[in-house]
Amino acid sequence: MQHPPKLKIPNKLGKRARDRFTIATWNCNHISHQKMEAVISDNYDMMALTELWDRPKESWELSIKYPGRVFCSEPTDRTDPAAGAAVILSKRMAIRLITWKAEGTRFVWVRLEGQFYNILFISAYIPHKTKENPTQSQSLSALETLCHTL
């Protein structure tokens, strides 16, 4: 399993470095409970997972084991089996959680308390151009609408 490289913040930056956070995204092309556990242990502050091929069947167990840290989109159906998105938060970001919502099978978002402005983090699974039902343009349009409403 290949993970994105973790960002290292040099200690010489002092207090300002502690205010920064790490963000990652990963198109999983299926996800298992073991992969999800590995991703959570990487401890990125915010991580977007896409193309879950439905949320992990153990997502409710993960929600209990990691309360306030794992947020999944709605379950997929037979018409769109590759869909599925998730947001995983580190412990330090989870305490900043204001609210979250799954928007269908392709989007999930969290709103976090920021130092000066609140942070909106969206995990969105956008299909490739040849995909139908939904098409890429339909998904992008839905994402744009979502962004305008938030």
Side-chain angles (χ1 to χ4, degrees), residues 123-136:
S123 177
Y125 174 54
I126 307 298
H128 53 80
K129 286 187 177 185
T130 60
K131 174 80 168 83
E132 295 179 7
N133 195 25
T135 64
Q136 186 182 71

Side-chain angles (χ1 to χ4, degrees), residues 23-24 46-48 87 108-112 119-123:
I23 300 173
M46 296 182 289
M47 184 162 203
V87 170
V108 61
W109 58 267
V110 295
R111 187 179 309 275
L112 306 167
I119 301 162
L120 179 65
F121 186 68
I122 303 171
S123 177

Side-chain angles (χ1 to χ4, degrees), residues 17-83:
R18 291 191 303 267
D19 295 337
R20 297 181 183 183
F21 44 84
T22 57
I23 300 173
T25 185
W26 182 32
N27 183 317
C28 307
N29 190 14
H30 287 84
I31 189 135
S32 66
H33 184 70
Q34 292 80 15
K35 283 183 185 178
M36 186 72 95
E37 287 274 1
V39 167
I40 292 171
S41 69
D42 282 344
N43 209 33
Y44 285 97
D45 287 314
M46 296 182 289
M47 184 162 203
L49 302 177
T50 58
E51 197 176 356
L52 301 181
W53 286 78
D54 203 0
R55 57 187 177 180
K57 303 299 183 241
E58 301 88 355
S59 66
W60 302 122
E61 179 186 322
L62 291 171
S63 297
I64 294 168
K65 188 173 182 180
Y66 304 101
R69 295 183 57 198
V70 180
F71 307 94
C72 295
S73 62
E74 295 173 7
T76 61
D77 58 30
R78 291 182 189 159
T79 63
D80 193 15

Side-chain angles (χ1 to χ4, degrees), residues 83-94:
V87 170
I88 298 175
L89 300 175
S90 67
K91 288 179 182 177
R92 79 179 187 135
M93 294 307 279

